Amino acid sequence: MSGRPIGDEVLVRRAARGVAVQAAALVALAMLLLIVLVTVVMIHGQSGAADDLLRSAVASADDVGDPPAGAWLVLGDTASPGLPDDLRPDLLALRTEAAQRIQVTTVEDDDGEYRIATGLVKGRPVQAVLDLSAQHKERARMLQAMGLAAVLALVLAGLLGVLIGRRAVRPLAEALTLQRAFVANAGHELRTPLTLLSTRAQLLGRSLHRDGASEQVLDDADGVVRDTRRLTEVVDDLLAAADPRRAEEQEPVDLVVLADDVAEAAKAHAQQVGVRVRSASDRDSAPALGSASAIRRAALALVDNAIDHTPRGGEVRIVVRRQRRDVILSVSDTGPGIGPEAAQRVLRRFDSGGQRRGRAHYGLGLALAHDVANRFGGQLRLAPSETGATFELVFPALRDDTPVKRPPGAR
């Protein structure tokens, strides 16, 4: 079973598309603001010019025979030719309220919109009427032109965004290529000595079985064989992850079995420092979709980190539980815990917090566990804990009756 591949190339392409979309969105927002600003300025300018024209026409009107272009004059009951008859009742009502100060108002009817100025000139009412349809047509033409310009600007912004996005993510793509090449080269160089080591460990185990060695020695020899097999599988997993042509292979993995196997593998290290390791679960099976070897590495990194932070006589617990649609593998210790100020940086690479139990640490374990969880649609989180620290690997759960693959080397 394989999940949806989300490789480095996909992430790079998504980043480039994201830059292009953001550039186009910024241009669209800028064009929209520009259109709104120009429209407001134009409407305000047209309205001011129309009002000035009407006031001037009323103040200087001698007769109705010489009105301004697109306007009509009304002196008493006499009007310029072409005045719409529908306006006469409105004009009559406005004339009854005429005053020395010229008043300007807007009237709308079925034929259009008109601006009317009314005032008293030499004791008689004078009105000037302006048809606003020409202004509306001019405004519509301007908006159409600006709309076309906005579309062209968006197309240009999209093209420039794609170009800028590709240039912006090019260093990331090159870095990922170098990283993949390093992992592939290192994995290839490790395969031969690991194969030889595995062969020698198997021959040693067979020789000890033939010579009738003690159970403890035979168990240790079998553990060496299992560990070398796991190392080989880790290298194979790294090589597969470094192959850009290969999609991420996913399969159902039983986290209950995996937790028991991780606890068994960590016992030797824990016994050396006087720490107990136990595993528990609230169910017999807890399948999740992922890679058995990768999830095992992540869980083992959490357990190794917990052991190194647990004082002698303490305990590390691995617990698997189902919570709604998730299956959770948690690793808890009885150490000093972790402060909220450090919780934000513990997942960064090379943030090791110094020496622990005399061993050099490079701050990669938690970061790698975080990456594994993200690869398979989950997450690594720091859970509240009264004693010590508790890290949780969270994965989307599968049905309990899903056929699962046992972790590599599990007994």
Side-chain angles (χ1 to χ4, degrees):
M1 182 182 300
S2 62
R4 182 182 181 184
I6 307 180
D8 295 336
E9 291 80 6
V10 177
L11 296 179
V12 170
R13 288 196 296 269
R14 286 182 178 177
R17 286 197 299 267
V19 172
V21 170
Q22 290 176 9
L26 288 176
V27 172
L29 179 60
M31 290 300 299
L32 178 62
L33 293 176
L34 179 61
I35 291 174
V36 172
L37 178 61
V38 171
T39 302
V40 171
V41 171
M42 184 177 184
I43 292 175
H44 181 75
Q46 288 180 335
S47 178
D51 290 354
D52 291 342
L53 176 66
L54 292 174
R55 287 192 175 95
S56 176
V58 169
S60 61
D62 292 329
D63 57 63
V64 297
D66 190 22
W72 299 276
L73 289 175
V74 180
L75 280 72
D77 296 331
T78 307
S80 300
L83 178 69
D85 293 335
D86 293 342
L87 286 178
R88 294 183 182 277
D90 296 314
L91 293 172
L92 179 59
L94 291 172
R95 282 200 300 272
T96 59
E97 300 177 0
Q100 292 294 331
R101 183 178 180 181
I102 300 174
Q103 301 293 329
V104 182
T105 186
T106 301
V107 174
E108 295 183 20
D109 61 15
D110 296 338
D111 296 328
E113 185 177 5
Y114 303 90
R115 192 76 168 160
I116 303 174
T118 304
L120 291 176
V121 178
K122 297 179 181 180
R124 63 175 179 173
V126 178
Q127 293 176 299
V129 182
L130 179 65
D131 187 354
L132 299 179
S133 58
Q135 294 185 2
H136 292 167
K137 291 178 180 179
E138 181 183 356
R139 195 179 307 165
R141 286 194 298 268
M142 185 206 66
L143 291 177
Q144 290 176 355
M146 295 192 66
L148 179 60
V151 172
L152 294 177
L154 282 177
V155 173
L156 180 60
L159 295 177
L160 291 178
V162 171
L163 179 61
I164 295 173
R166 289 179 178 177
R167 290 186 176 182
V169 302
R170 186 176 299 165
L172 174 61
E174 293 174 353
L176 291 173
T177 300
L178 291 175
Q179 174 183 310
R180 187 181 294 112
F182 170 77
V183 172
N185 293 336
H188 181 269
E189 293 299 321
L190 286 172
R191 288 195 68 181
T192 299
L194 283 176
T195 301
L196 295 175
L197 179 61
S198 178
T199 302
R200 291 178 180 177
Q202 294 178 41
L203 292 175
L204 177 61
R206 293 171 186 172
S207 176
L208 291 175
H209 278 282
R210 285 197 306 268
D211 295 342
S214 65
E215 288 295 328
Q216 181 63 42
V217 173
L218 293 177
D219 188 61
D220 290 340
D222 292 340
V224 172
V225 173
R226 290 194 301 272
D227 289 341
T228 54
R229 185 183 302 118
R230 288 165 180 158
L231 283 175
T232 303
E233 290 168 343
V234 168
V235 172
D236 289 339
D237 188 47
L238 291 176
L239 287 172
D243 187 353
R245 301 164 301 177
R246 181 171 177 177
E248 185 77 65
E249 294 294 330
Q250 300 185 26
E251 61 212 354
V253 180
D254 191 345
L255 296 191
V256 174
V257 177
L258 186 142
D260 293 339
D261 179 58
V262 169
E264 183 66 27
K267 278 184 178 179
H269 175 208
Q271 289 174 355
Q272 289 180 351
V273 296
V275 175
R276 299 184 304 276
V277 177
R278 296 194 301 114
S279 63
S281 176
D282 61 353
R283 55 187 57 234
D284 296 332
S285 177
L289 191 63
S291 167
S293 59
I295 296 177
R296 184 184 186 279
R297 288 202 317 275
L300 197 55
L302 294 181
V303 172
D304 182 71
N305 180 75
I307 291 174
D308 286 343
H309 284 90
T310 302
R312 182 175 293 274
E315 180 180 81
V316 173
R317 297 187 67 225
I318 311 171
V319 178
V320 177
R321 71 182 191 277
R322 178 79 175 262
Q323 185 176 16
R324 293 188 291 275
R325 297 183 178 180
D326 296 324
V327 57
I328 301 173
L329 186 151
S330 64
V331 177
S332 306
D333 61 60
T334 56
I338 181 171
E341 69 284 352
Q344 302 299 323
R345 57 179 175 82
V346 290
L347 300 184
R348 300 175 186 170
R349 280 175 168 80
F350 303 108
D351 189 351
S352 62
Q355 299 284 331
R356 304 197 297 267
R357 294 193 183 278
R359 298 197 304 163
H361 285 255
Y362 301 98
L364 292 174
L366 294 178
L368 291 175
H370 181 260
D371 289 346
V372 168
N374 287 341
R375 278 168 54 190
F376 302 117
Q379 61 175 316
L380 173 65
R381 64 193 185 194
L382 180 64
S385 179
E386 295 182 358
T387 303
T390 299
F391 284 93
E392 295 181 340
L393 279 170
V394 184
F395 298 98
L398 300 176
R399 292 176 52 183
D400 291 338
D401 57 353
T402 304
V404 297
K405 179 179 178 179
R406 294 173 63 81
R411 294 186 282 183

